[in-house]
Amino acid sequence: MTLVTHHDLPIPGTYMFDGHAAMKGYALNKMCFSFNKAENREEFLKDEDAYCTKFGLNDEQRKAIKERNVLAMIHAGGCIYYLAKFAGIFHLTVQDVGAQQTGMTVEEFKKKLKAQGE
Amino acid sequence: MARVVGGLTTSHIPAIGNAVPREKELVNDPYWKPFFAAYPPARAWLQKAKPDVAIVIYNDHGLNFFLDKMPTFAIGAAAEYRNADEGWGIPTTPPFQGDQELSWHIIESLVHDEFDVTTCQEMLVDHGFTVPMSLFWPGNSYGGVKTIPVCINTVQHPLPSPLRCFKLGQAIGRAVESYPKDLKVVVLGTGGMSHQLDGERAGFINKKFDLLCLDKLVNEPEVLTRYSIHELVREAGAQGAEFILWLAMRGALSGKVTKVHSSYHVAVSNTATGLLVLDNAA
């Protein structure tokens, strides 16, 4: 049995958060990192636009934030570990976020997860 | 001399952090039962082994480290480690006691062995550290064990290779076994198993690969060190690459390794959960 499989072929539906993404998404990720603190989450909710301006988000990032669109945030350089803190403001779980990205309902997404254990 | 008496691995999903304080009630809940039912044998082994120190190999998910400074390998050298708000509402845990003298001994030994780690005298520990500690030592006093956090970057690629992480574990094992005090040490590797949170492939789980890893990690870990990070992401999902933390744990066990207990369950939250308890006899 060979255990070493493929090499560097792209993995469909998967985005490596690498140096390129880290440069592109720095402002967005820095804003989301700030959401570790409750006072920052409150400040964001009071005036989203002002908060995005404070962190210097570009238009693509602001649009993704405004639309709560996780895939668009990833395309704009977002890293899921920081984006999860943004999702947390709205009490969205990783299952809600997974359902949104895969175009499923949360129930369908949960079924898909479970089915892979059978 | 200090000895590595064993190694444990467990998933560290944040949802577990919410569930742990309610374990007594949730152990009968159909969703949580298969998960919590797996832990009593691990706790029983720990009660028998009575470790003095737990070296916890984990990944930070954006509590202590940000992209401004992202160490590949970082180690705690503090008297105490605190948890804090991670932004999405799991309860914070009581602080963890450190062992500064052993931390510095390990740091000296690692750098001598060409692992140039980032040393941290202040370090917040997130769910990657706190969830396993709360699972293995329920009740908030963590069995009185002192802890040493070892953080490996899984946030920003390039990540260190599986082989490099295994070698780091070997170097940690050598460091412990050269420490003159009579201490019993366990090494924890946290995270995994297969899961992916981001992208259109979110929700990916690979049971076949997870079971292979659980099996090979016991006595043929070298086989698993041949994977590249890219292959690991393909097989285990984007965040399943956390398996490098398990490999680092396994590297620290250099004696006669036997499996005490293992468990696998799909799924808690988005993640296939795995548990492994390994005894490391002299």
Side-chain angles (χ1 to χ4, degrees):
Chain A
M1 183 171 60
T2 167
L3 286 169
V4 174
T5 54
H6 317 277
H7 290 279
D8 288 334
L9 295 170
I11 305 166
T14 303
Y15 305 89
M16 297 286 188
F17 185 77
D18 57 9
H20 179 77
M23 286 188 286
K24 187 177 177 184
Y26 194 79
L28 171 62
N29 291 317
K30 191 169 179 178
M31 180 178 87
C32 292
F33 176 68
S34 80
F35 297 143
N36 277 326
K37 292 203 161 66
E39 63 264 33
N40 293 337
R41 300 195 290 270
E42 282 160 26
E43 188 183 332
F44 173 83
L45 286 171
K46 257 185 229 156
D47 188 344
E48 289 190 22
D49 273 345
Y51 203 78
C52 289
T53 301
K54 183 172 161 182
F55 281 85
L57 269 62
N58 64 28
D59 290 346
E60 183 189 5
Q61 291 163 345
R62 297 177 82 108
K63 185 169 181 284
I65 287 284
K66 196 168 240 168
E67 293 173 357
R68 318 285 189 245
N69 184 333
V70 175
L71 275 179
M73 290 178 211
I74 290 167
H75 290 141
C79 170
I80 193 68
Y81 291 124
Y82 307 113
L83 300 182
K85 297 172 193 295
F86 169 75
I89 296 178
F90 306 99
H91 308 288
L92 298 172
T93 68
V94 287
Q95 293 180 324
D96 297 318
V97 170
Q100 188 199 86
Q101 295 174 96
T102 52
M104 294 180 186
T105 66
V106 176
E107 279 315 306
E108 285 167 347
F109 187 73
K110 285 180 181 176
K111 268 189 198 158
K112 173 191 152 167
L113 285 162
K114 208 173 166 196
Q116 293 174 100
E118 283 154 14
Chain B
M1 299 294 275
R3 272 212 64 238
V4 177
V5 296
L8 299 96
T9 61
T10 175
S11 306
H12 60 216
I13 306 150
I16 304 169
N18 272 324
V20 160
R22 298 167 55 215
E23 179 179 343
K24 281 195 179 121
E25 150 202 354
L26 291 176
V27 76
N28 294 314
D29 175 274
Y31 184 85
W32 286 102
K33 192 175 178 176
F35 176 77
F36 280 120
Y39 284 80
R43 293 166 186 161
W45 182 84
L46 280 166
Q47 276 175 7
K48 217 172 105 193
K50 292 191 179 56
D52 303 294
V53 178
I55 296 173
V56 184
I57 303 171
Y58 75 109
N59 56 329
D60 179 83
H61 307 71
L63 178 66
N64 189 67
F65 294 114
F66 180 60
L67 304 172
D68 58 337
K69 304 170 198 74
M70 182 58 69
T72 298
F73 299 126
I75 179 168
E80 184 181 87
Y81 303 98
R82 290 181 173 273
N83 180 222
D85 188 353
E86 293 186 54
W88 22 253
I90 61 170
T92 54
T93 59
F96 302 83
Q97 222 190 327
D99 183 338
Q100 287 181 292
E101 195 185 321
L102 179 56
S103 279
W104 283 108
H105 172 82
I106 294 172
I107 291 161
E108 292 278 354
S109 184
L110 287 179
V111 176
H112 178 267
D113 269 355
E114 302 179 352
F115 280 95
D116 306 318
V117 288
T118 299
T119 58
C120 306
Q121 288 208 60
E122 289 187 43
M123 192 178 197
L124 292 172
V125 289
D126 79 357
H127 66 274
F129 180 102
T130 64
V131 166
M133 288 299 296
S134 305
L135 272 171
F136 287 138
W137 290 278
N140 290 338
S141 65
Y142 315 113
V145 294
K146 294 182 174 181
T147 58
I148 298 179
V150 175
C151 181
I152 299 182
N153 164 41
T154 66
V155 170
Q156 176 181 264
H157 289 263
L159 314 186
S161 72
L163 179 60
R164 183 70 175 153
C165 293
F166 185 72
K167 286 180 175 174
L168 172 71
Q170 290 178 316
I172 290 171
R174 282 194 297 275
V176 170
E177 310 253 343
S178 69
Y179 190 59
K181 282 192 182 170
D182 281 327
L183 289 180
K184 288 190 277 186
V185 176
V186 287
V187 182
L188 271 52
T190 87
M193 298 190 81
S194 61
H195 66 300
Q196 178 153 340
L197 304 177
D198 50 342
E200 293 87 344
R201 201 171 73 132
F204 173 80
I205 282 173
N206 187 345
K207 183 177 178 180
K208 198 175 156 196
F209 181 75
D210 289 339
L211 294 178
L212 175 89
C213 289
L214 272 172
D215 177 45
K216 297 288 179 199
L217 198 64
V218 182
N219 280 314
E220 295 174 80
E222 295 81 6
V223 171
L224 302 169
T225 65
R226 290 180 208 148
Y227 284 93
S228 68
I229 287 291
H230 193 88
E231 287 160 344
L232 206 51
V233 168
R234 181 186 299 278
E235 297 297 330
Q239 283 73 38
E242 285 172 348
F243 186 67
I244 56 178
L245 309 167
W246 290 38
L247 273 170
M249 176 286 291
R250 181 60 185 84
L253 313 184
S254 61
K256 187 178 178 303
V257 175
T258 48
K259 184 169 92 174
V260 177
H261 176 59
S262 74
S263 173
Y264 181 74
H265 169 63
V266 178
V268 169
S269 188
N270 282 22
T271 306
T273 68
L275 167 66
L276 187 60
V277 182
L278 299 175
D279 186 86
N280 183 44

